[in-house]
Amino acid sequence: MLIGPPGSGKGTQAVRLAERLSIPHISTGDILRAAVKAQSPLGQQVAGIMAAGGLVGDGLITDLVRDRLAAPDTGRGFILDGYPRTASQAAALDRLRAPESFVVILIDVPGEVIVRRMSSRRVCDSCAITQSVLPDAEMEREACPYCGGNLLRRPDDHPDTVRRRLDTYEEACGPVIAYYRPRPSFTAIDGLRHADAVTADVMAYLGGAERAPRS
Ligand SMILES: [Zn+2]
């Protein structure tokens, strides 16, 4: 199970780990989209809630996760990404699978670093390459060093938007982290480093052969 704030690189790690370990990557977003597409009874409920602009509740999400975990491809394990998102979902998950069967990994990145990272991100409107500008560059428009196009900040990367998303995350996920922290299998991994070093640390923690060069 991977826990981490938006911008921590958690999604990237989930994809890599699923590939390395040849186990499925299970994200709530994918489950919701798949259920809606399959038009299963649960999927129709989800579609109705989303069409009305509502939030899919804990109970429904847990039902969907239960169905997904029952699929045959989870026999050798799975990566959970974005679930559980609340303490009540965490308690529900403990009723679906033995609590001690989970390894809980927090990709740890301080909020201020995420705000700095995301607010320095720009996307070129011509070649679409994402790049970083200097943290103190306040200009919204600069020239792309590759093609001369305009470097634009996505509205999602605006510092105020990032802070709001982090607040929402901390409100929901603080209790989830508190829920898992006392467990022997819980670990926090420093997410401030290159993605390769983070992957290596996670694999080492999981008992894989790879070892991260410690800095
Ligand atoms: Zn460009």
Side-chain angles (χ1 to χ4, degrees):
M1 181 190 307
L2 289 179
I3 305 176
S8 64
K10 169 179 66 79
T12 305
Q13 294 300 327
V15 169
R16 287 173 170 218
L17 292 169
E19 214 174 86
R20 299 265 178 109
L21 300 166
S22 302
I23 56 177
H25 167 208
I26 299 179
S27 83
T28 319
D30 288 345
I31 290 182
L32 290 173
R33 278 187 290 275
V36 169
K37 207 173 156 200
Q39 296 185 311
S40 64
L42 288 176
Q44 288 175 356
Q45 277 187 59
V46 173
I49 293 166
M50 286 170 132
L55 280 174
V56 181
D58 283 350
L60 186 48
I61 292 196
T62 298
D63 285 343
L64 287 162
V65 171
R66 178 193 296 120
D67 282 4
R68 179 63 188 88
L69 296 189
D73 66 345
T74 61
R76 289 184 51 249
F78 47 88
I79 308 282
L80 274 184
D81 167 18
Y83 179 92
R85 202 177 286 270
T86 64
S88 118
Q89 289 178 3
L93 182 61
D94 278 344
R95 292 190 291 273
L96 295 182
R97 292 278 171 128
E100 62 276 12
S101 65
F102 287 103
V103 176
V104 184
I105 296 172
L106 170 67
I107 307 291
D108 206 11
V109 181
E112 271 318 299
V113 176
I114 290 174
V115 173
R116 267 208 310 278
R117 256 190 200 175
M118 294 179 88
S119 54
S120 67
R121 199 158 67 172
R122 299 289 187 279
V123 181
C124 174
D125 69 354
S126 171
C127 70
I129 291 178
T130 299
Q131 42 207 299
S132 275
V133 294
L134 292 172
D136 54 358
E138 280 305 316
M139 281 161 53
E140 283 297 310
R141 279 166 185 271
E142 294 172 51
C144 171
Y146 303 105
C147 75
N150 297 312
L151 291 184
L152 305 177
R153 174 143 71 191
R154 300 183 320 151
D156 276 0
D157 291 343
H158 193 275
D160 294 342
T161 313
V162 175
R163 277 200 188 89
R164 261 200 309 279
R165 282 170 64 204
L166 283 173
D167 286 348
T168 309
Y169 163 80
E170 267 158 30
E171 241 167 71
C173 226
V176 173
I177 294 168
Y179 185 91
Y180 288 117
R181 199 180 281 281
R183 293 208 182 166
S185 78
F186 177 92
T187 193
I189 285 181
D190 177 7
L192 276 180
R193 297 155 309 146
H194 191 278
D196 291 347
V198 177
T199 308
D201 259 15
V202 174
M203 290 298 289
Y205 185 72
L206 292 174
E210 300 186 23
R211 296 276 155 195
R214 302 274 169 181
S215 52

